[in-house]
Amino acid sequence: MAIGDWAPGLKAAAGYQPAWLPKDLVAGIVLTTLLVPQGMAYAELAGLPPITGLYTSILCLLAYAVFGPSKVLVLGPDSSLGPMIAAVVLPLVAADGDPAKAVALASVLALLVGVMMTVAAVAKLGFVADLLSHPTQIGYVNGLALTILIGQLPKLFGFSVDADGLIGEAAGFVRGVAAGETLPVALAIGAGGLAVILVLQRFLPRIPGILVAVLGATVATSVFGLADQGVDVVGPLPRGFPPLTLPHIDLSDLGILAAGALGITLVSVTDTISTASTFAARTGQEVRGNQEMAGIGAANLAAGLFQGFPVSTSGSRTAVAFQSGARSQLTGVVGAAAITLMLVLAPGLLRNLPQPMLAAVVIAASLSLADLSAMRRLWRQRRVEFSLALAAFLGVALLGVLPGIAVAVALSVLNVFRRLWWPYSTELGRPDGVAGYHDVRSYPDGVRFPGLVLFRFDAPLIFANARTFREEIRHLAHAEPAPQWIVVAAEPITDIDTTAADMLEDLDEELNAAGISLVFAEMKDPVRAKIDRYKLTRTIDPAHFYPTIEDAVAAFHSQRGK
């Protein structure tokens, strides 16, 4: 295997054009203004010290620059993964609340995600992203956005809540506000920062609203001594590059971490393939799903070995890099270098960054995650899929983030089975002025021939719908007057499994006893080959397979004319 196949970044570096350098440098500096505050905020969202968010950002950017195939995708701590990480890690450290243990658990979680991603890439399992249908993704993300929002409100108001789950946290927040626990100065700086972010994002998107808000809040805290007035601040950060660390955990925790890693892997793959597809269309690249998984796997492995936590693609940071003129992954390398320089030369730069401001950063991210317009569109377009989205939303909101993932996946899979179980089927007729035979529901005046039924079944014929097919054919056979031929327009039938084959054999014998012929038209060659392999032509007349519906109709009329 060529080096470019497993390390696309090295191949890209060999073809790097000097004219790209100024744009990549500028984009990297602009990107850093997002990476630092968001990395720290999302680390706290995951229940970890803020410094781990910076460590994670550095290592994942460097690893993806080597092993990732995309020129512009930006990886890092993600708001959608934060609650999932917290849901896995925090219960395991609840007894002693040891931050070092939480970091070790999160690092092992990142290593497990990295291994799963790498194995999936080698096994070419990029299709697992399809396990989450778009409606369930919409519902899941909206539930996640609400969960994040409610969880950050107490910090924004300057107090904390000891509760689990959305309902418990919401109730605790209301009780805290009612009991007068709100710290006005904390609320002022957090709400003010949130307003700055949202206003600038809405009306002046080219201005980095998060940077403006974070710098303003940090300066205000320093000038007015807000830390002495009870406002929690980040405090000094450790100096220097993150050290290589092999995390140690209890083996009894490994099962829970593996289950959480599986859910994180699925969400990360789905999000990455979606984001990669969007930006590949803009840059003229092709999406390489398996290589993307390898790149994300490498990023998670690197983060896990340097006190980091699981990462994914960030659509918002990728958009910022793209809009700033990024031409290659050097943009991410510049961002990683800038964060490293800050930790080496000025670790105290953000010591007075107030915690309510970090809450505002996370809340702004949660609002960007929410997509209520998509829910409204599903309501207008297809109520069944709206119901799936709503169920996924409730799964996250009421059961929790990780169970919500299980609910979303289960709903997606069940929706596939529902469509296979009860596929669309109809009779066909020949409408005046239109060539061919068409759905009589769309063309109710279509001509139907006495003694002949044309039936279309829009699905592969498998165990899940064999009974449905049989009952519909029986219903047609019991009509008055009874048909002589039932012609199955088999072009939509892409497969016939052994369960369906046994059903067809019994059904054909039943119809033959009633003087009715079961006939097939437009059956695909691979499906017909299976019919022969199953030896169904022992009962079904081999002459009753026609290349077109017109041929079957002509044969029926020819037989009746004899």
Side-chain angles (χ1 to χ4, degrees):
M1 181 180 291
I3 188 171
D5 292 333
W6 60 270
L10 298 181
K11 181 179 180 181
Y16 190 82
Q17 299 182 23
W20 296 349
L21 183 60
K23 293 184 177 181
D24 281 336
L25 289 174
V26 171
I29 297 302
V30 173
L31 182 62
T32 304
T33 65
L34 278 181
L35 292 172
V36 172
Q38 285 189 341
M40 298 171 71
Y42 297 163
E44 293 215 330
L45 177 62
L48 301 168
I51 186 62
T52 60
L54 301 184
Y55 290 167
T56 300
S57 298
I58 294 170
L59 271 303
C60 74
L61 288 171
L62 294 176
Y64 187 82
V66 176
F67 296 100
S70 173
K71 293 180 180 179
V72 297
L73 284 190
V74 177
L75 268 65
D78 188 66
S79 59
S80 64
L81 298 188
M84 300 180 69
I85 299 168
V88 176
V89 170
L90 294 186
L92 298 178
V93 297
D96 50 21
D98 181 7
K101 182 178 180 181
V103 172
L105 290 167
S107 295
V108 172
L109 192 60
L111 292 174
L112 290 172
V113 171
V115 169
M116 290 180 182
M117 285 282 192
T118 304
V119 170
V122 172
K124 302 186 183 303
L125 298 179
F127 66 86
V128 298
D130 299 332
L131 288 178
L132 279 175
S133 67
H134 190 56
T136 53
Q137 285 182 55
I138 292 171
Y140 170 78
V141 168
N142 279 311
L144 195 63
L146 181 61
T147 300
I148 294 172
L149 174 63
I150 297 299
Q152 293 297 306
L153 284 178
K155 186 188 292 188
L156 188 75
F157 278 63
F159 64 91
S160 61
V161 169
D162 185 14
D164 292 324
L166 177 65
I167 295 177
E169 290 181 341
F173 170 69
V174 172
R175 284 195 299 268
V177 172
E181 296 181 24
T182 300
L183 186 63
V185 65
L187 177 58
I189 201 163
L194 179 60
V196 168
I197 294 172
L198 297 179
V199 169
L200 290 180
Q201 285 180 345
R202 176 69 176 84
F203 298 104
L204 297 170
R206 291 188 176 276
I207 297 177
I210 292 177
L211 176 63
V212 171
V214 166
L215 290 180
T218 304
V219 170
T221 302
S222 302
V223 172
F224 298 107
L226 299 185
D228 297 331
Q229 300 179 39
V231 176
D232 289 336
V233 295
V234 170
L237 300 175
R239 180 185 294 273
F241 191 82
L244 174 65
T245 306
L246 295 177
H248 297 283
I249 63 167
D250 296 332
L251 290 179
S252 59
D253 295 333
L254 197 56
I256 297 175
L257 290 172
L262 184 61
I264 291 172
T265 299
L266 177 59
V267 171
S268 183
V269 168
T270 303
D271 187 41
T272 296
I273 297 300
S274 175
T275 304
S277 299
T278 299
F279 286 93
R282 300 182 187 181
T283 60
Q285 286 186 282
E286 293 184 1
V287 177
R288 298 164 59 188
N290 293 312
Q291 186 60 52
E292 286 292 356
M293 287 193 295
I296 302 171
N300 277 282
L301 290 171
L305 291 173
F306 289 85
Q307 301 182 34
F309 51 86
V311 298
S312 180
T313 302
S314 169
S316 61
R317 291 191 289 274
T318 301
V320 167
F322 182 78
Q323 292 167 1
S324 301
R327 302 300 299 272
S328 74
Q329 282 297 325
L330 181 60
T331 296
V333 174
V334 170
I339 297 173
T340 302
L341 288 175
M342 186 195 75
L343 292 178
V344 171
L345 302 178
L349 186 64
L350 296 175
R351 64 184 303 165
N352 287 323
L353 173 58
Q355 293 284 359
M357 187 63 245
L358 291 181
V361 171
V362 174
I363 289 174
S366 73
L367 295 177
S368 68
L369 277 177
D371 194 350
L372 298 181
S373 63
M375 294 289 285
R376 290 194 296 269
R377 186 177 68 252
L378 288 176
W379 173 261
R380 292 193 304 267
Q381 294 177 347
R382 191 161 184 172
R383 299 292 172 84
V384 170
E385 297 200 344
F386 171 82
S387 299
L388 291 174
L390 183 61
F393 169 82
L394 294 175
V396 175
L398 300 180
L399 301 179
V401 177
L402 291 178
I405 279 287
V407 169
V409 171
L411 289 173
S412 295
V413 173
L414 286 175
N415 190 36
V416 173
F417 273 101
R418 178 188 66 83
R419 293 178 180 179
L420 287 175
W421 202 343
W422 298 300
Y424 184 78
S425 60
T426 186
E427 290 186 53
L428 304 179
R430 189 177 65 190
D432 291 335
V434 181
Y437 295 85
H438 301 276
D439 190 339
V440 295
R441 292 170 183 156
S442 300
Y443 297 92
D445 296 330
V447 175
R448 298 188 231 186
F449 304 104
L452 174 67
V453 173
L454 302 177
F455 173 71
R456 194 182 71 207
F457 191 77
D458 291 352
L461 195 51
I462 60 175
F463 70 95
N465 58 34
R467 185 181 63 82
T468 300
F469 179 90
R470 182 186 63 201
E471 295 307 314
E472 295 203 32
I473 294 294
R474 281 177 172 173
H475 176 74
L476 296 173
H478 292 157
E480 290 293 341
Q484 298 170 8
W485 276 25
I486 297 177
V487 177
V488 179
E491 193 274 337
I493 299 178
T494 56
D495 190 20
I496 295 178
D497 69 5
T498 56
T499 301
D502 292 341
M503 177 275 298
L504 287 175
E505 185 172 13
D506 294 340
L507 179 62
D508 186 61
E509 291 177 347
E510 178 184 324
L511 294 175
N512 288 340
I516 302 172
S517 296
L518 184 63
V519 180
F520 293 88
E522 299 183 340
M523 180 173 283
K524 298 178 184 299
D525 290 342
V527 180
R528 176 59 198 274
K530 291 181 180 180
I531 292 285
D532 293 336
R533 189 160 64 247
Y534 298 150
K535 300 187 183 305
L536 283 179
T537 50
R538 290 176 305 182
T539 57
I540 302 176
D541 188 344
H544 283 170
F545 292 87
Y546 295 93
T548 67
I549 297 176
E550 288 81 359
D551 290 334
V553 173
F556 170 75
H557 289 310
S558 175
Q559 185 187 76
R560 287 193 68 186
K562 291 183 179 179

